C-alpha cells in the first residue's frame, strides 16, 4: 500500500505543503547545519500537522562541513555532495516503491522550474506539488504560517530566502554571502577558510567567480521576503479549517 510522504525541510513552504496535503507521514532529513531556531519551528509545526515528524540522517556524515572535508568539494557543475549525502541518500533509504512524495515547491517561477527538473530527473518518482497546484507563493506561505500563530524560522527575518543550512554551499549570490558574514561571522570565516583550501570561488560578481572573502565589506545584503496574502490564502485557510474539523 503506497504511503503519501511530505518532505518537511523546516521551511515555511514545506510546512504549508504538509498541512494542506494531509500526508500519511512527515519526514525530515537532518543536515546538522541549520540555524538552531529551525528545531523550535519543527516542534511548533508538529501539533499543527497533527502527526509526528520522522527525522532521518546520514549514517556517515554529521553535517555539511564533514561532507565538504571528506569529499573535498563544495559545489559546482557536478552539484553539491552535501545535498546527496544528507538529503537524497537518507530519502532513498527510507522510501519504498509506490510511495507518493510531497514537496513544498511554490508557485514562484524559480520553484516551478525546480519542480519540473525534479520530475525530469526522477521520472519514476510519484510527486505531488500542492503549493504549485493551488498557486501559492513563498510570500503567501509566510502569511499562512503567521495566521496559524506559528513564528517563522528567525533566518527569514534576517533576510535569508530559505531556512536552509548556514551557509549553503550552492549559493553564488554575493548578497547572500554578505548576509552570512553579517549574521553568522563564525560560519562565514569557516567557509572562507575551507573554500580557499579547495580553490572554490563560490560567489559570482558581474559574471566573475570570486572567493567569498573577496566580497567588499559594504556589499548590500538580501532583503527579507514580506508575507503576502490574497484570495488564494483565504481559500487555503478555509480548507485548513475544514481539514481540522474533519480530523477532530
Amino acid at each position: 500500500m503506497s504511503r503519501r510522504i511530505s518532505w518537511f525541510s523546516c521551511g515555511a513552504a514545506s510546512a504549508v505543503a504538509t498541512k494542506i496535503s494531509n500526508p500519511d507521514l512527515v519526514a525530515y532529513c537532518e543536515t546538522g547545519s541549520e540555524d538552531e531556531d529551525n528545531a523550535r519551528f519543527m516542534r511548533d509545526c508538529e501539533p499543527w500537522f497533527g502527526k509526528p515528524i520522522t527525522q532521518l540522517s546520514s549514517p556517515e556524515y554529521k553535517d555539511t562541513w564533514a561532507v565538504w572535508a571528506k569529499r573535498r568539494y563544495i559545489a559546482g557543475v557536478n552539484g553539491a555532495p552535501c545535498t546527496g549525502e544528507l538529503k537524497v541518500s537518507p530519502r532513498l533509504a527510507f522510501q519504498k516503491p509506490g510511495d507518493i512524495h510531497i514537496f513544498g515547491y511554490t508557485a514562484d517561477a524559480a520553484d516551478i522550474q525546480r519542480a519540473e527538473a525534479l520530475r525530469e530527473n526522477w521520472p519514476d518518482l510519484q510527486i505531488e506539488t500542492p503549493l504549485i497546484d493551488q498557486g501559492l507563493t513563498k510570500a503567501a506561505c509566510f502569511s499562512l504560517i503567521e495566521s496559524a500563530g506559528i513564528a517563522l524560522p528567525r533566518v527569514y527575518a534576517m533576510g535569508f530566502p530559505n531556512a536552509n543550512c548556514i551557509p549553503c554551499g550552492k549559493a553564488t549570490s554575493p548578497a547572500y554571502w554578505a548576509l552570512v558574514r553579517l549574521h553568522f561571522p563564525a560560519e562565514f570565516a569557516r567557509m572562507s577558510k575551507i573554500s580557499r583550501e579547495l580553490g572554490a570561488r563560490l560567489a559570482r560578481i558581474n559574471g566573475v567567480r570570486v572567493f567569498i572573502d573577496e566580497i567588499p565589506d559594504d556589499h548590500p545584503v538580501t532583503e527579507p521576503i514580506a508575507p503576502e496574502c490574497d484570495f488564494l490564502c483565504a481559500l487555503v485557510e478555509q480548507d485548513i479549517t475544514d481539514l481540522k474539523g474533519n480530523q477532530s
Side-chain angles (χ1 to χ4, degrees), residues 36 39 45 67 83 93 104 121 138 153 159 164 171 183 197 222 236:
E36 61 184 15
C45 282
V67 176
T83 299
N121 292 325
K138 180 170 290 186
N164 291 339
H183 291 290
E197 291 174 353
T222 55
V236 172

Side-chain angles (χ1 to χ4, degrees), residues 7 12 33 56 67 129-130 147 177 182 196 206-207 232 237 244:
W7 292 95
S33 299
L56 311 175
V67 176
T129 52
S147 294
W177 287 108
L182 175 64
R196 282 282 184 177
N206 298 324
L232 290 175
E237 285 178 337
K244 183 177 180 181

Side-chain angles (χ1 to χ4, degrees), residues 8-16 34-49 53 141-142 145-146 149-154 156 163:
F8 176 69
S9 67
C10 276
S14 66
V16 174
E34 295 176 5
D35 180 61
E36 61 184 15
D37 188 52
N38 282 15
R40 185 275 312 162
F41 183 67
M42 183 188 302
R43 292 192 301 270
D44 289 351
C45 282
E46 280 189 310
W48 192 46
F49 298 157
I53 297 171
C141 290
F142 284 5
I145 292 292
E146 292 182 344
I150 300 174
L152 290 163
R154 67 176 185 175
Y156 288 128

Side-chain angles (χ1 to χ4, degrees), residues 159-205:
F160 290 93
N162 301 297
N164 291 339
C165 300
I166 303 293
C168 174
K170 293 179 288 186
T172 60
S173 166
Y176 168 84
W177 287 108
L179 192 67
V180 173
R181 180 171 57 196
L182 175 64
H183 291 290
F184 298 93
E187 286 78 1
F188 182 85
R190 188 176 182 183
M191 180 59 92
S192 296
K193 184 175 185 295
I194 190 173
S195 62
R196 282 282 184 177
E197 291 174 353
L198 300 178
R201 292 174 170 83
L202 300 176
R204 185 183 288 111
I205 299 179

Side-chain angles (χ1 to χ4, degrees), residues 9 16 34 48 50 58 69 80 101 130 155 186 200 208 215 220 240 246:
S9 67
V16 174
E34 295 176 5
W48 192 46
S58 166
H101 303 269
V155 291
V208 179
I215 297 171
I240 291 174
N246 292 334

Side-chain angles (χ1 to χ4, degrees), residues 13 106-108 131 134-142 144 228 230 232:
T106 68
D108 298 285
L131 303 180
Q134 298 202 33
L136 294 174
T137 63
K138 180 170 290 186
C141 290
F142 284 5
L144 288 166
E228 295 178 358
D230 55 19
L232 290 175

Side-chain angles (χ1 to χ4, degrees), residues 1 17 30-31 39 48 52 62 68 85 89 98 100 123 129 139 141 148 176-177 188 205 238:
M1 188 173 179
E30 173 63 67
T31 67
W48 192 46
K62 68 174 184 178
W68 298 329
E85 297 291 352
S89 292
I100 297 170
T129 52
C141 290
Y176 168 84
W177 287 108
F188 182 85
I205 299 179
Q238 183 58 53

